[in-house]
């Protein structure tokens, strides 16, 4: 609807370019199952992300779920409850118990000082999340993983295009999952990828996303169907041309929010870590009701009355989701519990005008009692 501002808006390439890109699909009649577009996009992406190898998927969730399966993980996985429900579901759907680690107050990523106390003889991996594009404490996580011989799979759904210490973020850990959902910095309508270094894992991923089929006769894995189709890949090929511009424009929106909201009592903004080239995927704001005078949910409603639709990403904690009722105790992750009750993600997309950013901030600041 006109005048509405949603939390984000899909980036689209010029329609003409997409139509040109999909024209050859009509000629070939090859629509899916690792076709020409899929293979071309895979190579382009590998190059752009600066990773050794990657496998494309129909969405980010299946990419993560099958990465966990492809590594043959079992038992328990240490992860964060402050994420989109997909991260936890991907673990549980593999028959593995998620063990929730608390998060840091400043960047909402896993508190690495709490990981070791959660390791048991059943732990096989750590699945941290680079939430909102904030990079986890990679160095410490890898030290712990090395010490206890655990695998590390990063949920990097929010970090497309992010570089850390000059290296593509997907090159850290045993694997990293990216999401290319319509609501992400970079989209293939729906889509995802797993970046990896181990060739064996690559072979497993290829089979698992295609029913476990090895060849025309042999089916040696219990796989899913999670392939990226040709139209998704074509969208990726077109959108990839604009990604740098996309991130630059988001950077301007991010700076404008900060100019308006920095240093206000009762408002905390995320800091971008040293060494990180950010992608500005979300703009989270943490409210302290006592200091700001009004709480997160009231601000959400006031903005909504003004047709500005923010989101409470990520509320509730995944450990509190109805489907996991009674299984986990959120009091064991007190920082995550406090953040989830007070955080609001403001609208963020490349074409959000700076005037609209000013207006959103004014409404927030004027809402104080
Ligand atoms: N791990 C993490 C940490 C994730 O955040 C996600 C996904 C995943 C794993 C799984 O990856 P995928 O399997 O999705 O690839 C959305 C997205 O559906 C989801 O991809 C995303 N995270 C999550 C944070 O947000 P909803 O239920 O909030 O989406 P929805 O439909 O309310 O859309 C949000 C806004 O996006 C809309 O207000 C407007 C905009 N939008 C949405 C759609 C569908 C568009 O501009 N165009 C569109 O086509 O979950």
């Amino acid at each position: 609807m006109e005048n509405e501002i949603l939390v984000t808006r899909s980036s689209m390439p010029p329609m003409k370019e997409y139509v040109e890109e999909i024209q050859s699909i009509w000629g070939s009649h090859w629509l899916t199952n690792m076709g020409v577009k899929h293979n071309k996009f895979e190579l382009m992406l590998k190059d752009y992300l600066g990773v050794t190898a990657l496998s494309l998927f129909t969405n980010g969730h299946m990419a993560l779920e099958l990465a966990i399966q492809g590594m043959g993980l079992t038992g328990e996985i240490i992860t964060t409850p402050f994420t989109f429900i997909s991260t936890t579901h991907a673990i549980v759907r593999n028959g593995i118990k998620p063990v929730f680690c608390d998060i840091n107050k400043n960047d909402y990523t896993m508190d690495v000082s709490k990981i070791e106390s959660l390791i048991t003889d059943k732990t096989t991996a750590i699945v941290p999340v680079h939430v909102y594009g904030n990079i986890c404490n990679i160095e410490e996580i890898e030290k712990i993983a090395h010490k206890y011989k655990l695998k590390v799979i990063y949920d990097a759904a929010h970090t497309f295009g992010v570089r850390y210490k000059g290296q593509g973020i997907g090159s850290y850990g045993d694997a990293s999952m990216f999401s290319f959902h319509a609501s992400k910095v970079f989209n293939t309508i729906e889509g995802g990828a797993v970046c990896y270094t181990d060739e064996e894992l690559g072979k497993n991923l290829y089979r698992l996303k295609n029913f476990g089929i090895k060849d025309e006769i042999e089916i040696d894995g219990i796989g899913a169907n999670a392939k990226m189709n040709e139209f998704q890949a074509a969208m990726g090929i077109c959108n990839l041309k604009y990604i740098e511009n996309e991130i630059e424009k988001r950077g301007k929106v991010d700076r404008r929010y900060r100019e308006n909201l920095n240093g206000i009592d009762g408002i905390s903004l995320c800091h971008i870590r040293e060494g990180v080239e950010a992608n500005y995927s979300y703009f989270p704001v943490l409210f302290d009701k006592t200091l700001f005078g009004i709480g997160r949910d009231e601000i959400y409603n006031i903005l909504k009355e003004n047709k500005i639709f923010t989101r409470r990403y990520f509320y509730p904690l995944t450990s509190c989701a109805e489907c996991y009722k009674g299984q986990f105790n959120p009091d064991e992750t007190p920082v995550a519990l406090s953040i989830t009750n007070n955080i609001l993600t403001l609208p963020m997309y490349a074409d959000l005008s700076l005037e609209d950013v000013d207006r959103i901030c004014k409404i927030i600041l004027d809402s104080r009692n």
Side-chain angles (χ1 to χ4, degrees), residues 8-10 60-61 84 86 155 158 179 181-182 184 311 313:
T8 194
R9 192 166 75 171
S10 297
H61 176 82
F84 190 53
S86 165
D155 179 331
H158 300 176
S179 161
H181 181 259
K184 295 290 189 282
R311 292 299 284 267
Y313 294 136

Side-chain angles (χ1 to χ4, degrees), residues 74-118:
T74 55
E76 295 175 1
I77 286 182
I78 298 173
T79 187
T80 164
F82 189 68
T83 181
F84 190 53
I85 196 69
S86 165
T87 321
T88 303
H89 282 351
I91 295 168
V92 174
R93 286 168 57 86
N94 270 289
I96 298 171
K97 181 182 168 197
V99 174
F100 292 110
C101 181
D102 209 357
I103 58 173
N104 298 313
K105 278 197 180 79
N106 53 344
D107 65 5
Y108 324 128
T109 64
M110 219 183 236
D111 178 350
V112 292
S113 71
K114 306 266 164 61
I115 297 177
E116 279 193 89
S117 64
L118 299 172

Side-chain angles (χ1 to χ4, degrees), residues 13 34 85 92 112 120 132 245 252 279 293 316-317 342 363-364:
M34 283 66 98
I85 196 69
V92 174
V112 292
T120 70
Y132 305 132
N245 188 245
K252 286 189 185 146
N279 69 355
L317 295 180
N342 295 296
I363 295 170
I364 293 172

